[in-house]
């Protein structure tokens, strides 16, 4: 059973020089307990996809096409107040900067208890016990003592643990985590990654993990969707996509990452830059940078096609050996 | 070691955090200090790269600012090609400072948004007087723009018209405009996407080969550092805990903290590594742990570590600050696979 399905989603922003599509024709699905990674460079549309799913696209942006279903229910057409109830209760969110998700004038406990009581029918005492339990689960030492302290009294890594507890304490089915470890040190990042995986396994919550860091994807996600210029260009199981990428962009990206244990004279690099939304070329958006493009690439946009778990949007996807 | 261009000895920077700033934060009074840089020694041979790595707040950027004269050392010496720079301010003396430039992490904040790119790149040439003639200066700007992979026409544009990677190219063009021999690069690719990062790292390597530049490179990304460096220095709470040739540090890390850092690098070839994660975070630098600052997180810590700070000592090709390494009791720790 899939938990979330997104079909042919397009998010459009009206602008001075006409409407631009921040994301185009994005389709994906997530199963319970699964961690779906979304990678791609800045501006590729990762955050916009997440924002569309939790109903937080800022006007004048809007969903121009497609549909989003959570446990079979269409959620992209809900009224704002209905969507607000789903956020928090059925879909949680974790953002990059823990401070923006936490209220500085409330104690960590007050914030957790309020979220728990808003969404679950529990007494104040039960909610407090539940809050302490969540702090313990996310690895806050001595949670009974720390629950009554304020966010600024926590370190950056501890704050992000609190944000994770806040996102999960109402027991949502899906969590959107947008760059949850980008602001953290590597050693703390490693701890947060391990925590997310553990919680997904234990609670069955599904996670959409948005990041530009392939290492984080490799260690955390089950499947990965690679975005380029507003579209998903490749999706599949993490181990397959990262070790045998099939889309020329994914290949270039993987090759360009410096690795410990290899010291080449020159890093393989993708020439040029990703086009902005208003300047995307006709046909395949990657064509101007693609080392293997063929004639049709400049005219016809390749669809995301594939078998079972692995899909690629490239005219050469059949020819390119796996 | 051949032809050291920069030698840093006993470098210290202590920030005084006493009243009134801290009255809000601490209950009691008293003076509070952060030993941001607490006795750092290294030498960089001409034409090579030394990188500093370590977690946030360990003092990397402070070292960079000390070298550039943007802040003054509390103690220690900075010798650049025979000139003592400790105690001299940024830009002073001009004949020496012209030979040192800096590239910053944030390509957005470090470029004046109201200036055209040509003026941004030409500014150091003007202030250091290397190209006083505006026409000659503009010609040199055009050459630099093309040299870093932009076009001469880009000189007429403003910074906001460029992507992050392009802005970092502009920063690099500005930094090399006075023909410096030494560049301090503080996280030059940390704000960039990986595909853009590869372009900038390649450009930096190419510049080093063509112009014979020497780099002090700062990063928290060990894989980046592995690609760019000849020597790597690992910092922890203001101190260098290990300094070694790059290949050496990855093949045979000595210090327990170096090993911890290597173990936490997310590995794109190792999906779903489910090992126990190293615990702990960097302690508060105002009240660092006694003895070896790393002891609360160290699996090898003992009484001596808690009481006595280890000294920085040669150990093979490396220099290491650790009692366990010096006592030869690190053996059970697994070595990382060599490159
Ligand atoms: N101007 C200042 N006044 C007081 N304390 C300072 C000042 N600048 C830096 N510090 C302190 O000195 C220590 C080292 O800071 P520094 O910026 O050098 O760290 P860093 O290694 O560059 O960290 P990051 O990876 O986060 O950039 C920190 O504890 C920091 O809070
Ligand atoms: N408020 C907005 N108005 C118009 N376009 C926007 C807005 N926010 C984002 N975009 C565009 O949408 C695209 C996707 O952005 P985003 O999802 O934030 O990318 P990512 O998270 O992958 O870095 C980008 O091209 C961006 O410029
Ligand atoms: S469709 Fe053509 S241009 Fe696009 S990635 Fe495939 S081969 Fe390259
Ligand atoms: S000196 Fe002691 S505590 Fe410090 S790193 Fe070495 S073994 Fe660990
Ligand atoms: Mg984003
Ligand atoms: Mg810094």
């Amino acid at each position: 059973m899939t938990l979330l399905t997104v079909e042919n989603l397009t998010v459009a922003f009206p602008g001075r020089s006409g409407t631009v599509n921040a994301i185009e024709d994005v389709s994906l699905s997530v199963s319970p307990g699964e961690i779906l990674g979304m990678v791609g460079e800045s501006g590729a549309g990762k955050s916009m996809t997440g924002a569309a799913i939790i109903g937080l696209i800022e006007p004048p942006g809007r969903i121009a096409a497609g549909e989003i279903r959570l446990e079979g229910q269409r959620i992209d057409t809900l009224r704002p107040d209905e969507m607000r109830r789903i956020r928090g209760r059925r879909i949680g969110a974790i953002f990059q900067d823990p401070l923006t998700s936490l209220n500085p004038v409330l104690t960590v406990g007050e914030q957790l208890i309020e979220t728990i009581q808003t969404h679950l029918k529990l007494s104040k005492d039960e909610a407090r016990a539940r809050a302490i339990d969540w702090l313990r689960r996310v690895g806050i030492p001595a949670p009974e003592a720390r629950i009554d302290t304020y966010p600024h009294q926590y370190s950056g890594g501890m704050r992000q643990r609190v944000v994770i507890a806040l996102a999960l304490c109402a027991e949502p089915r899906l969590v959107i985590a947008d760059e949850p470890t980008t602001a953290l040190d590597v050693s703390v990042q490693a701890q947060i990654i391990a925590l997310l995986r553990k919680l997904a396994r234990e609670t069955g919550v599904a996670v959409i993990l948005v990041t530009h860091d392939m290492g984080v994807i490799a260690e955390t996600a089950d499947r990965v969707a690679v975005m380029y210029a507003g579209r998903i260009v490749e999706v599949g199981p993490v181990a397959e996509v990262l070790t045998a990428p099939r889309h020329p962009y994914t290949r270039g990206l993987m090759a360009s990452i410096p690795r410990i244990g290899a010291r080449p004279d020159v890093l393989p690099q993708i020439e040029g830059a990703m086009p902005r939304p208003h300047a995307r070329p006709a046909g395949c958006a990657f064509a101007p940078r693609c080392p293997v493009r063929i004639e049709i690439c400049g005219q016809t946009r390749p669809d995301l096609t594939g078998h079972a778990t692995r899909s690629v949007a490239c005219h050469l996807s059949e020819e390119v050996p796996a | 070691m051949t032809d050291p261009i920069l030698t840093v000895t006993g470098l210290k920077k202590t920030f005084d955090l006493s009243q009134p700033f801290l009255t809000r934060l601490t209950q009691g009074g008293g003076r509070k200090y952060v030993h941001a840089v607490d006795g750092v020694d290294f030498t960089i041979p001409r034409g090579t790269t030394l990188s500093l790595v370590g977690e946030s707040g360990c003092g990397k950027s402070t070292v960079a600012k000390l070298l550039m004269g943007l802040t003054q050392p509390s103690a220690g010496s900075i010798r650049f090609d025979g000139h003592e720079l400790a105690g001299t301010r940024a830009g002073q003396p001009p004949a020496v400072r012209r030979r040192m430039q800096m590239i910053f992490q944030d390509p957005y904040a470090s470029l004046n948004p109201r200036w055209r790119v040509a003026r941004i790149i030409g500014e150091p040439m003007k202030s250091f007087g290397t190209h006083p003639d505006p026409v000659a200066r503009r010609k040199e700007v055009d050459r630099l723009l093309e040299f870093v992979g932009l076009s001469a026409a880009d000189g007429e544009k403003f910074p906001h018209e460029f992507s992050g990677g392009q802005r970092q190219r502009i920063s690099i063009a500005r930094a090399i405009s006075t023909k410096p021999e030494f560049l301090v690069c503080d996280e030059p690719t940390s704000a960039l996407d990986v595909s853009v990062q590869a372009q900038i790292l390649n450009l930096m390597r190419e510049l080093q080969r063509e112009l014979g530049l020497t780099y002090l490179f700062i990063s928290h990304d060990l894989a980046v550092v592995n690609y760019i460096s000849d020597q790597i220095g690992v910092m922890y709470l203001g101190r260098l805990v290990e300094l070694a040739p790059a290949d050496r540090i990855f093949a045979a890390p000595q210090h327990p903290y170096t090993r911890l850092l290597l173990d936490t690098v997310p590995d794109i070839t190792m999906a779903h590594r489910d090992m126990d994660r190293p615990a702990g975070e960097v302690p508060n630098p105002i009240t660092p742990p006694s003895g070896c600052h790393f002891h609360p997180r160290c699996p090898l810590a003992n009484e001596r570590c808690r009481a006595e700070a280890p000294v920085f000592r040669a150990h093979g090709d490396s220099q290491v600050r650790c009692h366990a390494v010096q006592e030869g009791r690190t053996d059970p720790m697994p070595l990382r696979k060599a490159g």
Side-chain angles (χ1 to χ4, degrees):
Chain A
M1 226 289 276
T2 56
L3 175 70
L4 177 86
T5 52
V6 173
E7 272 174 41
N8 307 106
L9 185 70
T10 295
V11 173
F13 281 85
R16 259 172 289 151
S17 42
T19 298
V20 295
N21 293 336
I23 57 171
E24 278 177 353
D25 211 11
V26 167
S27 298
L28 57 87
S29 66
V30 191
S31 305
E34 181 180 50
I35 301 185
L36 173 72
M38 300 205 51
V39 281
E41 52 204 86
S42 154
K46 309 177 297 291
S47 298
M48 199 56 69
T49 305
I53 294 168
I54 42 177
L56 285 180
I57 292 175
E58 283 178 30
R62 63 187 181 88
I63 294 179
E67 54 180 67
I68 304 170
R69 285 173 194 277
L70 182 68
E71 296 175 305
Q73 179 198 3
R74 195 103 187 241
I75 57 169
D76 56 301
T77 48
L78 294 178
R79 288 196 317 270
D81 59 313
E82 294 171 319
M83 197 58 210
R84 210 169 304 127
R85 263 200 304 275
I86 288 191
R87 256 194 322 268
R89 178 70 190 94
R90 289 167 68 196
I91 309 181
I94 303 169
F95 296 109
Q96 172 168 348
D97 180 0
L99 280 181
T100 61
S101 312
L102 296 172
N103 186 334
V105 302
L106 296 180
T107 66
V108 163
E110 284 164 344
Q111 301 182 53
L112 280 166
I113 291 167
E114 195 210 310
T115 307
I116 292 170
Q117 286 199 301
T118 306
H119 296 293
L120 306 176
K121 284 195 172 47
L122 291 178
S123 73
K124 182 107 192 195
D125 283 349
E126 288 167 331
R128 186 178 168 86
R130 187 73 66 95
I132 290 173
D133 193 42
W134 270 108
L135 288 177
R136 184 175 297 113
R137 283 175 92 164
V138 298
I140 305 281
E144 295 86 350
R146 305 207 66 163
I147 186 165
D148 296 315
T149 57
Y150 292 87
H152 73 260
Q153 293 168 290
Y154 288 65
S155 70
M158 288 290 160
R159 271 183 221 135
Q160 197 59 300
R161 289 171 192 266
V162 172
V163 172
I164 291 175
L166 261 179
L168 290 173
C169 67
E171 298 167 7
R173 309 287 296 128
L174 174 70
V175 169
I176 313 261
D178 193 344
E179 308 273 5
T181 61
T182 306
L184 304 175
D185 270 318
V186 274
S187 65
V188 180
Q189 166 177 306
Q191 297 165 13
I192 299 291
I193 289 172
L195 174 64
L196 274 177
R197 277 188 59 74
K198 173 177 136 243
L199 293 173
R201 228 178 5 235
E202 282 176 9
T203 65
V205 67
V207 181
I208 295 183
L209 177 69
V210 171
T211 171
H212 63 275
D213 188 329
M214 278 295 186
V216 170
I217 292 285
E219 297 219 338
T220 321
D222 301 302
R223 282 191 306 133
V224 59
V226 182
M227 290 196 78
Y228 185 80
R231 291 172 168 259
I232 293 178
V233 296
E234 177 158 13
V235 60
V238 162
E240 289 179 33
V241 173
L242 299 199
T243 56
R246 297 189 58 189
H247 193 281
Y249 172 68
T250 321
R251 291 180 171 211
L253 197 61
M254 292 308 299
S256 71
I257 301 173
R259 293 171 199 223
I260 288 174
R263 298 175 41 120
D265 261 358
V266 180
L267 278 174
Q269 67 181 48
I270 310 175
E271 302 298 336
M274 189 176 76
R276 308 245 178 99
H278 61 271
R280 287 182 197 136
C284 173
F286 188 59
R289 309 171 74 187
C290 181
V292 295
R293 70 177 164 268
I294 49 176
E295 182 135 13
I296 186 181
C297 302
Q299 295 135 30
T300 313
R301 185 168 285 153
D303 288 327
L304 187 65
T305 52
H307 340 274
T309 57
R310 195 82 192 275
S311 302
V312 183
C314 172
H315 291 304
L316 291 180
S317 65
E318 297 307 315
E319 284 95 301
V320 180
Chain B
M1 214 180 276
T2 56
D3 192 13
I5 190 166
L6 184 87
T7 303
V8 166
T9 324
L11 189 64
K12 291 194 184 190
K13 176 67 186 183
T14 306
F15 290 106
D16 187 348
L17 297 184
S18 313
Q19 332 274 354
F21 171 60
L22 256 149
T23 34
R24 285 181 286 123
L25 298 180
T26 57
Q27 288 81 354
R31 297 188 77 82
K32 302 273 172 187
Y33 299 98
V34 178
H35 298 279
V37 176
D38 194 14
V40 161
D41 305 277
F42 58 79
T43 293
I44 315 182
R46 192 183 297 274
T48 70
T49 301
L50 182 145
S51 294
L52 293 178
V53 296
E55 285 163 289
S56 189
C58 69
K60 308 180 293 294
S61 296
T62 306
V63 170
K65 288 182 195 142
L66 289 168
L67 298 190
M68 293 307 294
L70 297 169
T71 182
Q72 297 306 312
S74 312
S77 147
I78 302 166
R79 288 193 82 78
F80 178 79
D81 206 19
H83 305 269
E84 177 59 54
L85 292 180
T88 64
R89 279 175 295 113
Q92 299 296 325
V96 181
R97 290 294 183 185
R98 176 190 67 70
R99 299 163 62 193
M100 309 171 78
Q101 292 291 337
M102 182 156 177
I103 302 171
F104 297 89
Q105 166 168 358
D106 187 347
Y108 300 84
S110 61
L111 303 177
N112 186 333
R114 288 183 302 275
W115 286 10
R116 290 184 199 277
V117 164
R119 183 167 172 204
I120 291 173
I121 296 174
E123 210 285 323
M125 295 191 260
K126 192 177 165 196
S127 64
F128 281 112
T130 57
H131 291 75
D133 170 39
V135 177
R137 189 158 70 231
R138 181 57 204 253
K139 226 175 123 199
E140 177 63 6
V141 165
D142 292 350
R143 191 188 69 80
L144 285 165
L145 277 166
E146 276 163 20
F147 193 57
V148 299
L150 298 169
S151 72
D154 288 329
E156 290 310 311
K157 297 185 187 160
F158 290 95
H160 74 259
E161 296 174 65
F162 295 89
S163 69
Q166 290 170 324
R167 286 183 219 207
Q168 208 53 300
R169 288 177 194 267
I170 295 169
S171 307
I172 292 171
R174 176 181 58 183
I176 62 174
S177 66
T178 58
K179 303 211 169 18
E181 291 142 65
F182 183 76
L183 284 189
V184 172
C185 316
D186 191 354
E187 309 251 13
T189 63
S190 302
L192 306 177
D193 285 307
V194 279
S195 61
V196 184
Q197 167 173 281
Q199 296 175 346
I200 297 297
L201 291 175
N202 282 336
L203 174 64
M204 291 186 61
R205 283 278 287 259
E206 193 186 314
L207 291 176
Q208 182 164 52
R209 273 192 295 263
E210 288 195 18
L211 308 176
L213 294 174
T214 307
Y215 293 140
L216 177 85
F217 191 94
I218 292 173
S219 178
H220 62 269
D221 184 330
L222 285 163
V224 165
V225 154
N226 170 53
Y227 170 69
I228 200 97
S229 321
D230 298 289
Q231 293 182 82
I232 294 174
V234 180
M235 286 187 75
Y236 193 74
L237 284 182
R239 297 174 180 168
L240 269 178
V241 297
E242 182 160 359
L243 177 65
D247 46 359
R248 186 81 197 135
I249 218 160
F250 288 104
Q254 305 285 319
H255 196 281
Y257 178 61
T258 309
R259 297 177 184 221
L260 177 147
L261 277 185
L262 282 170
D263 278 343
T264 54
V265 178
D267 189 337
I268 45 177
T269 60
M270 222 194 278
H272 299 183
R273 178 167 58 157
D274 261 338
M275 48 192 284
D276 275 344
R277 287 314 185 166
E281 294 178 30
V282 181
N284 182 347
I286 300 171
T287 52
S290 62
C292 172
H293 290 344
F294 186 60
H295 81 248
R297 300 170 77 183
C298 182
L300 300 177
N302 64 13
E303 272 319 308
R304 185 179 177 205
C305 302
R306 282 181 275 274
E308 182 191 330
V311 295
F312 203 40
R313 215 174 260 160
H315 194 83
D317 296 340
S318 315
Q319 284 168 282
V320 188
R321 191 191 290 278
C322 172
H323 293 309
V325 170
Q326 277 145 27
E327 292 161 9
R329 54 180 183 86
T330 57
D331 284 350
M333 290 171 68
L335 290 185
R336 292 272 300 197
K337 65 175 189 295

